[in-house]
């Protein structure tokens, strides 16, 4: 349920969006929270509660203990496999389908945007893809996500790793260039469900703010970040705010 103030900020945002043609949206773990996927900085549960995600999602941890890191990703896959898009994913897919000019970029490695029907650029890789940690070749054989035994590359017998960008690793170059291109052109930049603390993705809002169009910065997050560049702060869950926002955008088309 949205408060009058939240509704006012959503109307302010939809008024502004309607007057412009190039919109960039960056999503983070928060947009999948209402699908039941814990956000990255939520306390880990169960057998992983003694580990911080940052300590596992890095190449050093994998080199020291590949079995531990691989098991953690198998556990995350087990956790995510039955999750479905929520109204926030569905609203963005509807927006992209029925209106032009919106580019969707995500930091998430789940495929809920794709399941909802969106076209999306992944900056941090894909939870469901794997590659060799030594020769980098994609590993396309079926993987039993209930089995945490390490897998070996058929070409060089290196350990197989998830095709995910780990802390300290560079982002996929084509996706990063595409994201920067879209953000440089946008007139409105919307950050949804992200704590905006992990760079370089977190720097996209600043790139938008100071691009030639001086883009308007909108944030949708129940726990507002202290990002001073935000012009319109919608303090609400994505699953509550986005269906209302998209409804307003579509009703005047
Ligand atoms: N709707 C919108 N936002 C939400 C919701 C919700 N229902 N629930 C939580 N949030 C917000 C939280 O307030 C938080 O600000 O989502 C944000 C999630 O932040 P993080 O857990 O830090 O996730 P994210 O910002 O995506 O992390 C960025 O860091 O760990 C790396 O590679 C990983 O892609 C990840 C990156």
């Amino acid at each position: 349920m949205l408060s009058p103030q939240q509704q006012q900020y959503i109307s302010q945002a939809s008024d502004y969006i309607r007057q412009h043609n190039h919109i960039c949206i960056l999503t983070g773990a928060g947009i999948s929270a209402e699908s039941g996927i814990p956000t990255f900085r939520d306390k880990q549960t169960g057998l992983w509660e003694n580990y911080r995600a940052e300590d596992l999602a890095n190449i050093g941890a994998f080199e020291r203990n590949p079995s531990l890191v691989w098991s953690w990703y198998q556990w995350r896959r087990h956790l995510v496999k039955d999750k479905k898009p929520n109204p926030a994913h569905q609203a963005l897919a509807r927006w992209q389908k029925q209106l032009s000019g919106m580019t969707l970029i995500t930091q998430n490695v789940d495929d809920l945007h794709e399941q909802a029907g969106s076209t999306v650029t992944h900056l941090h890789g894909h939870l469901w893809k794997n590659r060799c940690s030594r020769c980098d070749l994609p590993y396309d054989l079926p993987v039993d996500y209930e089995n945490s035994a390490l897998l070996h590359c058929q070409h060089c017998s290196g350990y197989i790793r998830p095709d995910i960008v780990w802390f300290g690793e560079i982002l996929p170059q084509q996706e990063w260039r595409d994201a920067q291109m879209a953000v440089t052109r946008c007139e409105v930049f919307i950050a949804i469900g992200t704590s905006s603390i992990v760079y370089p993705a977190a720097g996209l809002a600043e790139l938008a703010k100071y691009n030639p169009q001086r883009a308007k910065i909108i944030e949708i997050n129940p726990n507002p970040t202290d990002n001073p560049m935000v012009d319109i702060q919608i303090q609400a869950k994505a699953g509550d705010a986005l269906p209302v926002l998209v409804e307003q955008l579509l009703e005047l088309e």
Side-chain angles (χ1 to χ4, degrees), residues 27-31 33-34 39-42 54 107-108 124 165 167 192-198 220-223 225 236-239:
T27 63
I31 199 166
E34 291 161 85
T39 65
F40 223 87
R41 280 158 192 86
D42 272 351
E54 288 82 336
Q107 302 169 89
N108 296 340
H124 294 166
V165 180
F167 285 95
I192 304 173
T194 178
S195 56
S196 301
I197 56 177
V198 174
I220 300 177
N221 193 326
N223 316 301
T225 64
K237 289 183 175 182

Side-chain angles (χ1 to χ4, degrees), residues 81-157:
K81 70 182 186 324
D82 302 326
K83 301 296 187 281
K84 295 292 170 227
N86 66 58
H89 298 103
Q90 287 152 1
L92 292 182
R94 206 167 152 233
W95 180 347
Q96 230 178 18
K97 214 173 276 142
Q98 299 190 29
L99 296 169
S100 62
M102 186 267 262
T103 304
L104 182 57
I105 305 162
T106 190
Q107 302 169 89
N108 296 340
V109 293
D110 65 53
D111 63 351
L112 297 186
H113 281 307
E114 291 90 335
Q115 284 188 42
S118 286
T119 302
V120 58
T121 296
H122 281 264
L123 297 180
H124 294 166
H126 304 263
L127 185 61
W128 300 111
K129 291 186 181 168
N130 298 291
R131 67 173 199 261
C132 175
S133 61
R134 184 185 295 168
C135 69
D136 234 22
L137 281 176
Y139 182 85
D140 296 325
L141 295 179
V143 174
D144 171 5
Y145 295 118
E146 304 306 323
N147 178 342
S148 56
L150 283 168
L151 300 171
H152 293 267
C153 171
Q154 306 143 287
H155 309 280
C156 75
S157 75

Side-chain angles (χ1 to χ4, degrees), residues 197-208:
I197 56 177
V198 174
Y199 285 79
L204 291 174
E206 188 170 3
L207 181 64

